[in-house]
């Protein structure tokens, strides 16, 4: 049984989630492919302060309404019987109730949910003894893989196209992730 560490936003939720909110709030006509930077202040050409003011207002709404990434539920439903599902997110702690409600409404099973309030997930990965991590943020994926010597599944997005080290595996969707994990866990057993 593996202990899977899973980011939430852009991994379990559809990475396109923010686009309509950004367009409406900032009077833009961005497409998902325009999000070539994880740092939205650069995409929107706004200050850090302006961005966080916007996030304080819209983050709860966005996270409450976020659609699932394609195939996420099907794969996670299968894995809940085979592995432990540990969701580790950079979301801030005041969003815990919204997060639990979203999991309940979308019928996503979890063994543990942890909102750490920042992007450095290294300590949470170590404390929770994660076997494989699932992420959409490029530098997180690289740091986790290199620091903890575990495979990290990086969900392919326009904002994470930098080169990846050997321990980071780029996938396009949850079906590809499932195929890789199932093969890897079969090989580990042999």
């Amino acid at each position: 049984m593996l202990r899977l560490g899973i980011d939430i936003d852009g991994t379990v939720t559809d990475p396109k989630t923010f686009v309509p909110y950004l367009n409406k709030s900032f009077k833009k006509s961005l497409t998902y492919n325009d999000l070539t930077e994880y740092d939205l202040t650069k995409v929107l050409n706004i200050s850090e302060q302006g961005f966080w003011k916007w996030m304080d207002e819209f983050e709860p709404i966005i996270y409450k309404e976020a659609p699932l990434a394609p195939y996420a539920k099907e794969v996670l439903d299968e894995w809940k019987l085979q592995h432990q599902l540990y969701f580790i997110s950079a979301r801030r702690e005041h969003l815990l109730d919204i997060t639990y409600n979203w999991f309940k409404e979308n019928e996503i099973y979890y063994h543990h949910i942890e909102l750490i309030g920042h992007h450095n997930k290294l300590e949470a990965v170590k404390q929770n003894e994660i076997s494989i991590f699932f992420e959409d943020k490029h530098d997180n994926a690289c740091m986790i893989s290199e620091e903890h010597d575990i495979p990290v599944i990086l969900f392919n997005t326009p904002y994470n196209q930098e080169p990846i080290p050997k321990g980071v595996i780029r996938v396009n969707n949850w079906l590809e992730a499932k195929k890789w994990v199932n093969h890897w866990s079969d090989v580990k057993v042999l």
Side-chain angles (χ1 to χ4, degrees), residues 80-154:
K80 72 183 178 190
L81 303 173
Q82 303 166 349
H83 306 298
Q84 293 181 338
L85 306 178
Y86 276 57
F87 294 90
I88 300 170
S89 173
R91 288 182 182 188
R92 297 176 286 167
E93 201 166 301
H94 72 277
L95 298 161
L96 195 57
D97 287 344
I98 287 169
T99 302
Y100 278 121
N101 288 337
W102 184 88
F103 273 78
K104 184 178 179 183
E105 287 172 16
N106 286 281
E107 299 177 333
I108 302 292
Y109 185 85
Y110 57 87
H111 292 90
H112 177 74
I113 295 176
E114 191 169 333
L115 306 186
I116 60 174
H118 53 81
H119 287 290
N120 188 341
K121 298 175 182 172
L122 293 175
E123 190 58 35
V125 169
K126 181 181 178 182
Q127 286 179 345
N128 291 298
E129 300 176 358
I130 300 301
S131 310
I132 300 176
F133 201 83
F134 299 78
E135 180 65 73
D136 68 316
K137 191 170 188 292
H138 180 270
D139 58 342
N140 277 359
C142 297
M143 284 190 304
I144 291 167
S145 174
E146 291 173 348
E147 179 77 20
H148 295 299
D149 196 27
I150 63 170
V152 177
I153 305 295
L154 180 66

Side-chain angles (χ1 to χ4, degrees), residues 7-17 63 66-69 72 91 102:
D7 173 54
I8 299 172
D9 299 303
T11 305
V12 178
T13 67
D14 193 312
K16 299 176 181 99
T17 297
Y63 293 159
L68 280 160
R91 288 182 182 188
W102 184 88

Side-chain angles (χ1 to χ4, degrees), residues 24-41:
K24 185 174 181 184
S25 295
F26 296 98
K27 312 274 189 273
K28 300 276 188 186
S29 55
L30 297 168
T31 67
Y32 171 59
N33 289 325
D34 292 326
L35 304 183
T36 57
E37 300 259 359
Y38 188 88
D39 181 351
L40 291 175
T41 63

